[in-house]
Short mmCIF file of all heavy atoms in Angstrom, two decimals:
data_model
loop_
_atom_site.label_atom_id
_atom_site.label_comp_id
_atom_site.label_asym_id
_atom_site.label_seq_id
_atom_site.Cartn_x
_atom_site.Cartn_y
_atom_site.Cartn_z
N LEU F 1 348.20 79.75 8.40
CA LEU F 1 347.85 80.08 9.83
C LEU F 1 347.22 81.38 9.88
O LEU F 1 346.22 81.64 10.65
CB LEU F 1 349.07 80.07 10.70
CG LEU F 1 349.78 78.69 10.95
CD1 LEU F 1 350.99 78.92 11.79
CD2 LEU F 1 348.82 77.72 11.62
N THR F 2 347.57 82.33 9.07
CA THR F 2 347.00 83.67 9.01
C THR F 2 345.57 83.61 8.45
O THR F 2 344.62 84.24 9.02
CB THR F 2 347.82 84.69 8.16
OG1 THR F 2 349.13 84.76 8.71
CG2 THR F 2 347.19 86.01 8.14
N VAL F 3 345.37 82.81 7.44
CA VAL F 3 343.98 82.66 6.91
C VAL F 3 343.07 81.98 7.93
O VAL F 3 341.91 82.42 8.03
CB VAL F 3 344.10 81.82 5.61
CG1 VAL F 3 342.67 81.39 5.12
CG2 VAL F 3 344.79 82.65 4.44
N LEU F 4 343.55 80.92 8.62
CA LEU F 4 342.73 80.28 9.63
C LEU F 4 342.33 81.25 10.74
O LEU F 4 341.26 81.24 11.25
CB LEU F 4 343.43 79.08 10.15
CG LEU F 4 343.66 77.93 9.15
CD1 LEU F 4 344.49 76.76 9.81
CD2 LEU F 4 342.28 77.39 8.69
N THR F 5 343.41 82.06 11.09
CA THR F 5 343.12 83.10 12.17
C THR F 5 342.03 84.07 11.63
O THR F 5 341.17 84.44 12.39
CB THR F 5 344.39 83.79 12.56
OG1 THR F 5 345.37 82.88 12.94
CG2 THR F 5 344.10 84.87 13.61
N ALA F 6 342.11 84.49 10.42
CA ALA F 6 341.10 85.41 9.86
C ALA F 6 339.73 84.81 9.76
O ALA F 6 338.75 85.44 9.92
CB ALA F 6 341.56 85.90 8.45
N ILE F 7 339.66 83.50 9.52
CA ILE F 7 338.39 82.79 9.47
C ILE F 7 337.73 82.72 10.83
O ILE F 7 336.52 82.98 11.06
CB ILE F 7 338.55 81.40 8.81
CG1 ILE F 7 338.93 81.62 7.30
CG2 ILE F 7 337.26 80.62 8.99
CD1 ILE F 7 339.18 80.29 6.61
N PHE F 8 338.55 82.35 11.80
CA PHE F 8 337.99 82.15 13.17
C PHE F 8 337.80 83.38 13.98
O PHE F 8 337.20 83.37 15.00
CB PHE F 8 338.84 81.13 13.99
CG PHE F 8 338.63 79.71 13.57
CD1 PHE F 8 339.40 79.11 12.63
CD2 PHE F 8 337.64 78.94 14.17
CE1 PHE F 8 339.17 77.75 12.22
CE2 PHE F 8 337.44 77.70 13.83
CZ PHE F 8 338.18 77.07 12.85
N LEU F 9 338.40 84.53 13.51
CA LEU F 9 338.27 85.77 14.21
C LEU F 9 336.80 86.25 14.33
O LEU F 9 336.33 86.55 15.46
CB LEU F 9 339.08 86.86 13.59
CG LEU F 9 339.16 88.13 14.33
CD1 LEU F 9 339.77 87.98 15.74
CD2 LEU F 9 339.97 89.13 13.53
N PRO F 10 336.01 86.24 13.20
CA PRO F 10 334.54 86.71 13.46
C PRO F 10 333.78 85.57 14.15
O PRO F 10 332.83 86.01 14.87
CB PRO F 10 334.10 86.90 11.94
CG PRO F 10 335.04 86.08 11.11
CD PRO F 10 336.36 86.16 11.86
N LEU F 11 334.20 84.38 14.06
CA LEU F 11 333.44 83.28 14.88
C LEU F 11 333.70 83.52 16.33
O LEU F 11 332.77 83.30 17.11
CB LEU F 11 333.92 81.97 14.32
CG LEU F 11 333.79 81.58 12.88
CD1 LEU F 11 334.16 80.21 12.57
CD2 LEU F 11 332.37 81.90 12.42
N ASN F 12 334.92 83.85 16.66
CA ASN F 12 335.25 84.11 18.10
C ASN F 12 334.51 85.41 18.62
O ASN F 12 334.00 85.48 19.74
CB ASN F 12 336.70 84.30 18.33
CG ASN F 12 337.51 83.05 18.16
OD1 ASN F 12 336.95 81.95 18.29
ND2 ASN F 12 338.78 83.18 17.77
N LEU F 13 334.34 86.32 17.65
CA LEU F 13 333.55 87.57 18.00
C LEU F 13 332.06 87.21 18.28
O LEU F 13 331.46 87.70 19.34
CB LEU F 13 333.51 88.55 16.86
CG LEU F 13 332.75 89.88 17.02
CD1 LEU F 13 333.32 90.66 18.22
CD2 LEU F 13 332.92 90.72 15.78
N ILE F 14 331.50 86.35 17.41
CA ILE F 14 330.09 85.97 17.66
C ILE F 14 330.03 85.19 18.96
O ILE F 14 329.06 85.36 19.75
CB ILE F 14 329.58 85.08 16.42
CG1 ILE F 14 329.51 86.01 15.24
CG2 ILE F 14 328.21 84.50 16.79
CD1 ILE F 14 329.18 85.18 14.01
N THR F 15 330.92 84.29 19.28
CA THR F 15 330.92 83.52 20.49
C THR F 15 331.00 84.40 21.64
O THR F 15 330.36 84.22 22.73
CB THR F 15 332.09 82.52 20.44
OG1 THR F 15 331.95 81.62 19.28
CG2 THR F 15 332.05 81.65 21.71
N GLY F 16 331.83 85.45 21.57
CA GLY F 16 332.04 86.32 22.67
C GLY F 16 330.76 87.14 22.92
O GLY F 16 330.43 87.42 24.17
N ILE F 17 330.05 87.55 21.84
CA ILE F 17 328.80 88.44 22.01
C ILE F 17 327.75 87.58 22.69
O ILE F 17 327.10 88.03 23.68
CB ILE F 17 328.38 88.86 20.69
CG1 ILE F 17 329.32 89.90 20.13
CG2 ILE F 17 326.96 89.44 20.73
CD1 ILE F 17 329.04 90.39 18.72
N PHE F 18 327.52 86.31 22.25
CA PHE F 18 326.51 85.50 22.83
C PHE F 18 326.98 84.89 24.28
O PHE F 18 326.12 84.31 24.91
CB PHE F 18 326.14 84.37 21.94
CG PHE F 18 325.22 84.80 20.78
CD1 PHE F 18 325.70 85.25 19.58
CD2 PHE F 18 323.88 84.76 20.99
CE1 PHE F 18 324.83 85.64 18.50
CE2 PHE F 18 322.98 85.14 19.99
CZ PHE F 18 323.47 85.60 18.75
N GLY F 19 328.12 85.20 24.63
CA GLY F 19 328.56 84.78 25.92
C GLY F 19 328.36 85.81 26.97
O GLY F 19 328.73 85.56 28.15
N MET F 20 327.80 86.97 26.66
CA MET F 20 327.62 88.05 27.59
C MET F 20 326.41 87.73 28.47
O MET F 20 325.42 87.08 28.09
CB MET F 20 327.37 89.41 26.90
CG MET F 20 328.51 89.87 26.03
SD MET F 20 328.14 91.43 25.24
CE MET F 20 329.70 91.63 24.38
N ASN F 21 326.44 88.25 29.75
CA ASN F 21 325.27 87.94 30.67
C ASN F 21 324.21 89.03 30.61
O ASN F 21 324.03 89.96 31.43
CB ASN F 21 325.87 87.99 32.12
CG ASN F 21 326.76 86.70 32.35
OD1 ASN F 21 326.39 85.70 31.85
ND2 ASN F 21 327.81 86.89 33.09
N PHE F 22 323.56 89.08 29.41
CA PHE F 22 322.44 89.97 29.20
C PHE F 22 321.15 89.13 28.82
O PHE F 22 321.24 88.19 28.10
CB PHE F 22 322.69 90.91 28.15
CG PHE F 22 323.80 91.96 28.54
CD1 PHE F 22 325.11 91.76 27.94
CD2 PHE F 22 323.62 93.00 29.37
CE1 PHE F 22 326.11 92.69 28.26
CE2 PHE F 22 324.61 93.91 29.68
CZ PHE F 22 325.89 93.71 29.11
N ASP F 23 320.04 89.52 29.47
CA ASP F 23 318.80 88.78 29.22
C ASP F 23 318.15 89.24 27.91
O ASP F 23 317.23 88.56 27.40
CB ASP F 23 317.80 88.91 30.35
CG ASP F 23 318.22 88.17 31.62
OD1 ASP F 23 319.02 87.24 31.36
OD2 ASP F 23 317.92 88.67 32.72
N THR F 24 318.43 90.41 27.36
CA THR F 24 317.76 90.92 26.25
C THR F 24 318.48 90.64 24.95
O THR F 24 318.14 91.22 23.94
CB THR F 24 317.65 92.46 26.46
OG1 THR F 24 319.01 93.00 26.48
CG2 THR F 24 316.79 92.80 27.62
N LEU F 25 319.51 89.80 24.93
CA LEU F 25 320.15 89.43 23.68
C LEU F 25 319.21 88.69 22.81
O LEU F 25 318.42 87.74 23.25
CB LEU F 25 321.40 88.60 23.98
CG LEU F 25 322.69 89.38 24.48
CD1 LEU F 25 323.75 88.34 24.83
CD2 LEU F 25 323.07 90.40 23.49
N PRO F 26 319.18 88.95 21.51
CA PRO F 26 318.29 88.19 20.61
C PRO F 26 318.67 86.71 20.45
O PRO F 26 319.86 86.34 20.62
CB PRO F 26 318.43 88.87 19.28
CG PRO F 26 319.79 89.59 19.34
CD PRO F 26 319.91 89.98 20.79
N LEU F 27 317.68 85.87 20.31
CA LEU F 27 317.84 84.45 20.05
C LEU F 27 318.13 83.66 21.25
O LEU F 27 318.12 82.39 21.18
CB LEU F 27 318.93 84.22 18.95
CG LEU F 27 318.62 84.85 17.51
CD1 LEU F 27 319.76 84.46 16.64
CD2 LEU F 27 317.29 84.32 16.92
N ILE F 28 318.51 84.26 22.40
CA ILE F 28 318.94 83.46 23.54
C ILE F 28 317.72 82.73 24.23
O ILE F 28 317.94 81.77 24.88
CB ILE F 28 319.74 84.26 24.55
CG1 ILE F 28 318.89 85.38 25.12
CG2 ILE F 28 320.96 84.78 23.88
CD1 ILE F 28 319.57 86.11 26.29
N HIS F 29 316.59 83.32 24.00
CA HIS F 29 315.38 82.69 24.62
C HIS F 29 314.55 81.88 23.62
O HIS F 29 313.48 81.40 23.98
CB HIS F 29 314.48 83.78 25.29
CG HIS F 29 315.12 84.43 26.44
ND1 HIS F 29 315.49 83.92 27.62
CD2 HIS F 29 315.56 85.78 26.47
CE1 HIS F 29 316.07 84.78 28.39
NE2 HIS F 29 316.12 85.94 27.70
N GLU F 30 315.07 81.84 22.41
CA GLU F 30 314.34 81.00 21.35
C GLU F 30 314.84 79.62 21.36
O GLU F 30 315.95 79.29 21.63
CB GLU F 30 314.64 81.69 19.96
CG GLU F 30 314.21 83.08 19.84
CD GLU F 30 312.68 83.16 19.80
OE1 GLU F 30 312.04 82.17 19.51
OE2 GLU F 30 312.15 84.32 20.12
N ALA F 31 313.94 78.67 21.03
CA ALA F 31 314.27 77.28 21.03
C ALA F 31 315.23 76.93 19.89
O ALA F 31 316.05 76.00 19.99
CB ALA F 31 312.99 76.41 20.93
N THR F 32 315.04 77.69 18.80
CA THR F 32 315.96 77.43 17.64
C THR F 32 317.16 78.40 17.55
O THR F 32 317.80 78.51 16.49
CB THR F 32 315.17 77.49 16.37
OG1 THR F 32 314.52 78.83 16.29
CG2 THR F 32 314.05 76.49 16.26
N GLY F 33 317.33 79.17 18.61
CA GLY F 33 318.43 80.21 18.56
C GLY F 33 319.80 79.55 18.38
O GLY F 33 320.63 80.11 17.61
N VAL F 34 320.06 78.48 19.05
CA VAL F 34 321.40 77.85 18.97
C VAL F 34 321.69 77.38 17.52
O VAL F 34 322.76 77.55 16.99
CB VAL F 34 321.58 76.76 20.00
CG1 VAL F 34 320.55 75.60 19.72
CG2 VAL F 34 322.97 76.19 19.98
N TRP F 35 320.61 76.79 16.87
CA TRP F 35 320.79 76.31 15.50
C TRP F 35 320.99 77.43 14.52
O TRP F 35 321.73 77.37 13.58
CB TRP F 35 319.59 75.47 15.14
CG TRP F 35 319.43 74.28 16.11
CD1 TRP F 35 318.44 74.06 16.88
CD2 TRP F 35 320.32 73.23 16.30
NE1 TRP F 35 318.52 72.95 17.66
CE2 TRP F 35 319.67 72.36 17.23
CE3 TRP F 35 321.48 72.81 15.64
CZ2 TRP F 35 320.32 71.15 17.69
CZ3 TRP F 35 322.06 71.69 16.17
CH2 TRP F 35 321.55 70.85 17.17
N ILE F 36 320.26 78.58 14.78
CA ILE F 36 320.35 79.74 13.89
C ILE F 36 321.79 80.27 14.03
O ILE F 36 322.48 80.60 13.07
CB ILE F 36 319.38 80.81 14.16
CG1 ILE F 36 317.92 80.23 13.83
CG2 ILE F 36 319.63 82.08 13.44
CD1 ILE F 36 316.78 81.17 14.26
#
């Protein structure tokens, strides 16, 4: 459980960053941003 938590912790960080309400975030206006 600790290893799984350590793996998903940076993924949750990335998800939290791209969930912010800012228009100037990179990749959010790109067509391939979600895949990248």
